[in-house]
Amino acid sequence: MYVSRVSTRPLSNQSAAQLSKAVAFFAQSYGLSNACTAHVPSRRAFTSASKIQVKGRDLFPEPEHGQIKRTEPAWPHPPYTTEQMRSKVYFAHRKPRDFSDRVALGMVRFLRWCTDFATGYKHNVEEPKKASDSNALTATKPYQMSERKWLIRYVFLESVAGVPGMVAGMLRHLRSLRGLKRDNGWIETLLEEAYNERMHLLTFLKMYEPGIFMRTMILGAQGVFFNSFFLCYLFSPRTCHRFVGYLEEEAVLTYTLSIQDLENGHLPKWADPNFKAPDLAVEYWGMPEGNRSMRDLLYYIRADEAKHREVNHTLGNLKQDEDPNPFVSVYGKERAEKPGKGIENLKPLGWEREEVI
């Protein structure tokens, strides 16, 4: 009979440090306290996290380097004022005008149905019954959307929303290379849009940690959506830009409803004065002191989605192979209103070709 020998030699300082880090990471990952009393959160749809705000472990901590202190964004965010975000941004729908528009709208409606089903989104609820009603408790439906459910929806939507700009920018970049010609400014705007959507996702990940099931769903959705959009853009870029315009209409509606929920008192955790936007968001949007609440953050993100709606509806109105990008162009004559990177002259339904070309 053989008995395995156990080494009784003390660990070196380096080995002890590595073991300590491994134990600490394991404890944080599985929610173990210092006293090793384990608490495993209940498994729910799309996530294994039970808290609204991630505590203890940062999903993407700042790397520690000897010389680099911070990395500035490649595309600084244009400034928005509170008055602009609240008066110029609202839900609007562009009616389809031809077969291409109807195809794009139909695709968005199908995608919206799939996303609502997958994330358990239910917004419309009955009004609470009066206390004098005998069946007040049984007849009143509980409010469907909570802070946690909104974050599930945000994370899933933003993980998909960052795909179209990158795919379109990549394809136009490759076409410019093989065609040996300029792209007239479209590539930069499309890549900046993808970057902006990714910043939305990173901001929400500072508040919420997806579980393994949601990560798997995001992986599958990205694979299907990327390849589908890639093929569609090869055949009809105009339809794809109209599709994204309609998709951003849905995004503006989603954030408008969540802002209404917050302002109507349905999301008390976000209404708490101590709940502040993550530092990542404060730096990216340049949120001023005193305007860093969750409501302020949602106003900034909704304004971004409204800008993407304007940009893509406008690009869908242009000749894809000839027209320059009006959002980065310099106009010969001074104009009272013209497209730009900000939301000063925001047009919810996009600019018509004769207005900008």
Side-chain angles (χ1 to χ4, degrees):
M1 178 177 181
Y2 293 94
V3 179
S4 59
R5 298 180 59 188
V6 179
S7 175
T8 58
R9 291 182 300 174
L11 294 174
S12 64
N13 292 337
Q14 182 179 4
S15 299
Q18 292 176 348
L19 179 61
S20 177
K21 289 182 179 179
V23 172
F25 177 79
F26 177 84
Q28 286 183 348
S29 299
Y30 290 90
L32 301 179
S33 65
N34 293 334
C36 294
T37 56
H39 171 71
V40 181
S42 59
R43 295 280 176 177
R44 300 174 183 173
F46 268 106
T47 182
S48 59
S50 60
K51 295 183 179 180
I52 295 298
Q53 205 154 4
V54 178
K55 301 292 185 182
R57 184 165 71 94
D58 197 343
L59 293 181
F60 41 95
E62 290 289 337
E64 296 182 1
H65 299 291
Q67 301 184 48
I68 298 177
K69 183 178 180 180
R70 58 177 296 176
T71 303
E72 297 292 339
W75 288 286
H77 195 278
Y80 296 161
T81 67
T82 301
E83 191 277 331
Q84 290 173 347
M85 291 188 291
R86 301 195 180 189
S87 64
K88 294 182 176 294
V89 179
Y90 50 87
F91 173 73
H93 173 61
R94 179 188 175 96
K95 294 183 179 180
R97 302 179 183 179
D98 53 27
F99 178 75
S100 176
D101 289 357
R102 287 190 286 272
V103 170
L105 181 58
M107 292 169 61
V108 168
R109 286 177 174 173
F110 175 73
L111 183 62
R112 170 67 189 264
W113 180 86
C114 294
T115 305
D116 289 351
F117 178 79
T119 59
Y121 176 77
K122 293 181 181 179
H123 188 81
N124 296 327
V125 295
E126 293 181 355
E127 291 292 331
K129 302 297 181 181
K130 296 181 180 179
S132 58
D133 295 341
S134 58
N135 62 341
L137 293 178
T138 58
T140 301
K141 293 183 179 180
Y143 197 76
Q144 298 291 341
M145 295 302 291
S146 62
E147 294 91 345
R148 174 182 164 276
K149 289 184 177 180
W150 275 120
L151 284 172
I152 290 174
R153 185 171 181 82
Y154 294 158
V155 169
F156 188 77
L157 289 178
E158 297 297 351
S159 69
V160 174
V163 172
M166 180 58 65
V167 173
M170 176 190 69
L171 288 175
R172 296 190 71 93
H173 172 72
L174 294 176
R175 188 180 67 175
S176 176
L177 294 180
R178 66 176 179 267
L180 306 178
K181 60 181 182 180
R182 296 186 59 183
D183 185 66
N184 293 322
W186 288 50
I187 296 173
E188 292 86 346
T189 294
L190 294 171
L191 295 181
E192 184 176 5
E193 176 183 311
Y195 176 85
N196 177 255
E197 297 286 10
R198 189 177 66 90
M199 291 302 296
H200 295 175
L201 175 63
L202 296 180
T203 297
F204 291 129
L205 289 177
K206 286 291 186 179
M207 295 182 280
Y208 195 73
E209 180 178 358
I212 185 64
F213 180 65
M214 185 176 186
R215 292 173 183 269
T216 304
M217 291 295 293
I218 289 174
L219 179 63
Q222 184 182 97
V224 172
F225 187 54
F226 178 93
N227 288 285
S228 301
F229 195 84
F230 178 91
L231 294 175
C232 290
Y233 203 89
L234 290 176
F235 287 100
S236 180
R238 178 182 176 276
T239 302
C240 288
H241 285 297
R242 187 71 69 213
F243 167 84
V244 178
Y246 285 133
L247 191 66
E248 298 297 351
E249 289 181 4
E250 295 290 347
V252 172
L253 176 61
T254 292
Y255 285 108
T256 299
L257 292 174
S258 61
I259 290 172
Q260 290 179 357
D261 287 356
L262 198 159
E263 293 177 341
N264 292 334
H266 295 302
L267 306 172
K269 294 179 181 178
W270 286 352
D272 188 340
N274 295 323
F275 194 103
K276 299 298 182 183
D279 293 339
L280 176 75
V282 173
E283 294 178 4
Y284 177 65
W285 280 283
M287 302 173 71
E289 189 71 35
N291 292 278
R292 298 176 179 178
S293 66
M294 187 63 183
R295 185 179 68 166
D296 295 317
L297 175 61
L298 293 178
Y299 271 115
Y300 275 100
I301 295 178
R302 186 183 68 162
D304 286 344
E305 305 295 2
K307 187 63 184 180
H308 301 328
R309 175 187 62 186
E310 176 198 36
V311 168
N312 281 278
H313 275 320
T314 301
L315 296 182
N317 295 334
L318 305 181
K319 293 183 179 180
Q320 305 296 301
D321 298 331
E322 302 176 10
D323 294 339
N325 176 9
F327 294 94
V328 294
S329 298
V330 178
Y331 290 85
K333 295 182 180 180
E334 191 64 29
R335 300 176 45 166
E337 290 188 356
K338 60 182 179 180
K341 288 192 173 184
I343 58 174
E344 300 86 358
N345 301 317
L346 186 69
K347 282 202 171 186
L349 306 183
W351 298 75
E352 298 299 329
R353 185 174 185 272
E354 56 271 15
E355 294 179 303
V356 294
I357 301 298

